[in-house]
C-alpha cells in the first residue's frame, strides 16, 4: 500500500470520529450509476424538500426512505449523499427528506414532517422508478427514533391519511428508543412536559402488529447506548412482534452509518463492516413478492447476530 493511500485511510478514519467526516465520505462517493432528483417539495405548507436517488433504468424497485440523525437539531439531506448513492447502487430507490428541527419545532412536529414525507413517497415514487408497495424506512441515531415511532405508533401515519401497513419494514441504526429519564436541558425542551415524557418513547408502543424491524447497534457506542436497541427489541418480542437485531462488539455511533458507503477507502477505514449487507438483505427479504413475516424470537432471548470482530 502506498504512503499516500495509507495517509488517506488514516485521515478518513480520524474524520469518521467527528461530524465533519460526513463531507469526506460524500467527496469519496461516486457520481455514476444513479439519477438524482433534488429539492423536490413534498409539503407545500412547510416548504420541506427531499432528494431521490434512483438506480439507472429503475422500475418497480424497492424504496428506502432515510431519516438522518443529528439530535433532532442539526443535519440536512445533502449531508447523506453517500447513503443515497449506496442504496441506489444496490438497486433501491433512496429518498432522503429534510424535516423541521429544534429549536424551530419540538416533538412531535418532526415526526409529523416524516409522516408527510412517507405519504408523498407513497403517492409519487412510481415516477422515480420505485414501487409504492415496497417502502422500507431506514434511520440513524435520532432518525432511527423517527423511523421507529412511525412504525410502532400507527396514529402518526393515520394523521396524514396513511397507514403503517404501507411499510414493508424498518431498519434502525444506533437509535435512541428508551432514554428516560430525560435530563439534558435541550432534550427536555424538545420533548415537552415531563408528565408526557413516557409518550415520547418508542418502547411504549409495541403491540405485536408492527412491520418487521431490524435494529443494529454497536456495543461500544458512547453516544446512544446499546441498551436502547436491546430494550426495544425485548419489548417487541414480548408483544410477539417481528424483530431482528445485529449487535456489533466494536462499532462506534458514527461508523455504523459511514459503513453504508460503497467507497473502498471508507470501507477499509471503518473495518470492512457488513452493515450494508444486512440492510440490503433485509430490504430484499421484506419487499420480495414471496415475503413472509419475520417470526418473533423464541421466548427467553433475543435472536441477536453478533458478527465476529
Amino acid at each position: 500500500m502506498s504512503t499516500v493511500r495509507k495517509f488517506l485511510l488514516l485521515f478518513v478514519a480520524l474524520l469518521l470520529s467527528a461530524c465533519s467526516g460526513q463531507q469526506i465520505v460524500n467527496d469519496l462517493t461516486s457520481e455514476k450509476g444513479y439519477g438524482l432528483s433534488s429539492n423536490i417539495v413534498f409539503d407545500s405548507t412547510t416548504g420541506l424538500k427531499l432528494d431521490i436517488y434512483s438506480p439507472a433504468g429503475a422500475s418497480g424497485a424497492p424504496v428506502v426512505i432515510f431519516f438522518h440523525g443529528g439530535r433532532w437539531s442539526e443535519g440536512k439531506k445533502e449531508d447523506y449523499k453517500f447513503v443515497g448513492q449506496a442504496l441506489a447502487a444496490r438497486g433501491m430507490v433512496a429518498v432522503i427528506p429534510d424535516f423541521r428541527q429544534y429549536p424551530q419545532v419540538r416533538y412531535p412536529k418532526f415526526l409529523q414532517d416524516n409522516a408527510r414525507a412517507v405519504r408523498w413517497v407513497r403517492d409519487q415514487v412510481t415516477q422515480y422508478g420505485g414501487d409504492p408497495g415496497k417502502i422500507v424506512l431506514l434511520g440513524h441515531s435520532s432518525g432511527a427514533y423517527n423511523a421507529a415511532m412511525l412504525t410502532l405508533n400507527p396514529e402518526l401515519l393515520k394523521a396524514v391519511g396513511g397507514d403503517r401497513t404501507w411499510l414493508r419494514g424498518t431498519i434502525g441504526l444506533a437509535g435512541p428508543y428508551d432514554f428516560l429519564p430525560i435530563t439534558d436541558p435541550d432534550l427536555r425542551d424538545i420533548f415537552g412536559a415531563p408528565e408526557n415524557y413516557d409518550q415520547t418513547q418508542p418502547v411504549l408502543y409495541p403491540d405485536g402488529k408492527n412491520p418487521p424491524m431490524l435494529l443494529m447497534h454497536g456495543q461500544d457506542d458512547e453516544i446512544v447506548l446499546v441498551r436502547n436497541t436491546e430494550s426495544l427489541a425485548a419489548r417487541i418480542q414480548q408483544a410477539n412482534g417481528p424483530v431482528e437485531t445485529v449487535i456489533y462488539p466494536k462499532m462506534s455511533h458514527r461508523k455504523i452509518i459511514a459503513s453504508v458507503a460503497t467507497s473502498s477507502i471508507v470501507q477499509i477505514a471503518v473495518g470492512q463492516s457488513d452493515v450494508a449487507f444486512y440492510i440490503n438483505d433485509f430490504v430484499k427479504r421484506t419487499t420480495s413478492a414471496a415475503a413472509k413475516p419475520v417470526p418473533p424470537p423464541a421466548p427467553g432471548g433475543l435472536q441477536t447476530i453478533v458478527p465476529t470482530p
Side-chain angles (χ1 to χ4, degrees):
M1 184 182 296
S2 69
T3 301
V4 172
R5 186 174 177 83
K6 288 180 179 178
F7 175 79
L8 183 57
L9 285 173
L10 177 60
F11 182 59
V12 172
L14 289 173
L15 282 175
L16 287 176
S17 65
C19 295
S20 59
Q22 290 173 189
Q23 185 56 52
I24 297 297
V25 178
N26 278 339
D27 290 343
L28 294 169
T29 296
S30 174
E31 302 282 353
K32 300 178 181 179
Y34 63 92
L36 173 59
S37 301
S38 58
N39 293 320
I40 303 169
V41 175
F42 70 85
D43 182 16
S44 59
T45 60
T46 61
L48 287 168
K49 300 175 182 179
L50 52 77
D51 293 343
I52 301 178
Y53 297 76
S54 301
S59 177
V63 180
V64 178
I65 305 174
F66 175 71
F67 301 132
H68 67 74
R71 202 177 167 87
W72 303 282
S73 61
E74 60 184 34
K76 57 186 184 298
K77 57 185 174 55
E78 291 83 4
D79 295 339
Y80 294 90
K81 168 188 171 183
F82 70 94
V83 175
Q85 182 273 333
L87 295 171
R90 296 176 174 94
M92 309 166 211
V93 172
V95 182
I96 307 180
D98 273 332
F99 46 90
R100 290 173 295 170
Q101 300 177 354
Y102 177 79
Q104 179 186 4
V105 299
R106 292 161 176 78
Y107 173 92
K109 296 294 186 181
F110 42 82
L111 294 176
Q112 295 166 354
D113 293 343
N114 291 164
R116 293 187 185 98
V118 173
R119 174 61 189 264
W120 186 95
V121 170
R122 172 80 176 189
D123 291 342
Q124 304 293 336
V125 78
T126 301
Q127 61 186 301
Y128 300 94
D131 185 336
K134 297 180 178 180
I135 296 174
V136 174
L137 302 185
L138 168 66
H140 171 242
S141 192
S142 55
Y145 167 96
N146 295 356
M149 286 292 282
L150 292 188
T151 304
L152 296 169
N153 181 359
E155 298 306 314
L156 291 169
L157 283 172
K158 282 184 180 179
V160 298
D163 196 290
R164 71 172 173 181
T165 59
W166 290 357
L167 309 178
R168 297 292 289 271
T170 293
I171 305 166
L173 306 179
Y177 313 117
D178 184 10
F179 51 95
L180 295 184
I182 299 176
T183 57
D184 291 359
D186 62 332
L187 294 182
R188 291 177 68 87
D189 194 24
I190 288 172
F191 287 101
E195 60 269 24
N196 297 326
Y197 281 167
D198 60 334
Q199 303 294 317
T200 70
Q201 302 297 292
V203 292
L204 174 73
Y205 295 96
D207 59 4
K209 300 177 183 179
N210 59 274
M213 298 185 72
L214 171 62
L215 306 177
M216 307 176 71
H217 219 124
Q219 286 183 327
D220 59 351
D221 189 330
E222 297 180 352
I223 296 177
V224 177
L225 300 182
V226 70
R227 69 171 181 81
N228 283 269
T229 283
E230 294 170 340
S231 178
L232 179 57
R235 292 289 184 89
I236 296 172
Q237 175 192 346
Q238 291 165 8
N240 292 319
V243 63
E244 303 171 64
T245 60
V246 178
I247 309 297
Y248 291 91
K250 299 292 182 182
M251 180 67 74
S252 73
H253 189 72
R254 294 189 177 96
K255 281 187 178 181
I256 199 167
I257 184 61
S259 297
V260 175
T262 59
S263 165
S264 59
I265 292 176
V266 175
Q267 282 295 313
I268 294 172
V270 301
Q272 295 288 0
S273 166
D274 53 10
V275 171
F277 166 81
Y278 285 111
I279 292 173
N280 188 47
D281 175 69
F282 181 82
V283 172
K284 285 186 175 180
R285 285 190 287 112
T286 56
T287 62
S288 70
K292 297 179 180 179
V294 178
L302 301 176
Q303 287 183 333
T304 299
I305 305 167
V306 181
T308 302

